[in-house]
Amino acid sequence: MLTVETRHAIHPDHARAMDTAALRSHFLGTGLFATGEIRLLYTHYDRFVLGGAVPGDAPLVLDVVAETKTPSFLDRREMGIVNIGDTGTVTAGGESYEMGKGDVLYLGMGTGPVTFAGAGRFYITSTPAHASYPSRLITVEDAVKVQMGAAETSNKRTIKQFIHPTVMESCQLILGYTALEDGSVWNTMPAHTHDRRMEAYLYWGMAPEARVLHLMGEPSETRHLFVANEEAVVSPSWSIHSGAGIGEYTFIWAMAGDNVDYTDMDFHQPADLA
């Protein structure tokens, strides 16, 4: 079963007037992971798509998505898949890839239908592509790991880069995830924006009762979302994205836009936020 929800782009002037329900309706993705289903959000931010696939007892096939108006979903797109569950298998382009928890699979443009099977919980990201690059499985061991932050500022964390120029080549999709050390809660501070790229976050590895306070909005007009486990945030290029959590959590970041320069960002110091 496939369901697709479209999210239209929001101007920052519009976002300033939104109440909590409207902010959550436009920027928060909930209920993405349902057994026996593929659920996607098709956004008008750089045509970025995100979603979840949970095979359960029977494989799931992602092929035709009416919103793209192409015979097969990946005809003019690339895809990044993260397994946030137990071991599962993804089959595409005549190859089968066994994915452990935390592994990432890149599928290039023109790969064809994608089949999900096994005990995995697969987080799907996809962007338009202009060229076809080789598909590749990047395990947790293959990722480039970057240590950042400090315990004194409550943001000691490990950034793991998967679909990233330091690891492999892609068209415009960049993807990795960040895990907080014990006792650290802030995932990014100082906050930043990058006007040339949008970004999406999936929070996972959280206790059911835990929440992340995700900060968003213009630096001078900040807003917030309380986010639960396996919920996603769509972050426009004009919005900051920072947050603090209750207990252990990891967040998957994925970006699309004009370039693949991970360091292309504009920082906003805490004293400048309002």
Side-chain angles (χ1 to χ4, degrees), residues 6-37:
T6 297
R7 296 286 179 93
H8 292 280
I10 300 299
H11 193 279
D13 290 349
H14 183 191
R16 292 178 192 175
M18 287 182 176
D19 62 12
T20 299
L23 288 169
R24 294 177 69 86
S25 174
H26 285 284
F27 300 108
L28 186 65
T30 63
L32 297 174
F33 298 89
T35 301
E37 297 185 34

Side-chain angles (χ1 to χ4, degrees), residues 226-267:
F226 279 102
V227 184
N229 188 48
E230 296 187 355
E231 292 185 342
V233 176
V234 178
S235 184
S237 59
W238 48 262
S239 177
I240 67 166
H241 34 270
S242 182
I246 303 169
E248 183 180 5
Y249 72 97
T250 298
F251 66 96
I252 300 168
W253 42 265
M255 293 179 277
D258 274 338
N259 59 48
V260 291
D261 181 2
Y262 180 75
T263 61
D264 178 16
M265 59 186 74
D266 303 308
F267 286 99

Side-chain angles (χ1 to χ4, degrees), residues 81 93 107 201:
I81 302 166
L107 297 177
Y201 288 86

Side-chain angles (χ1 to χ4, degrees), residues 29-50:
T30 63
L32 297 174
F33 298 89
T35 301
E37 297 185 34
I38 299 174
R39 296 183 176 182
L40 302 178
L41 293 183
Y42 179 95
T43 84
H44 285 264
Y45 300 103
D46 292 292
R47 305 293 170 171
F48 188 93
V49 173
L50 63 90

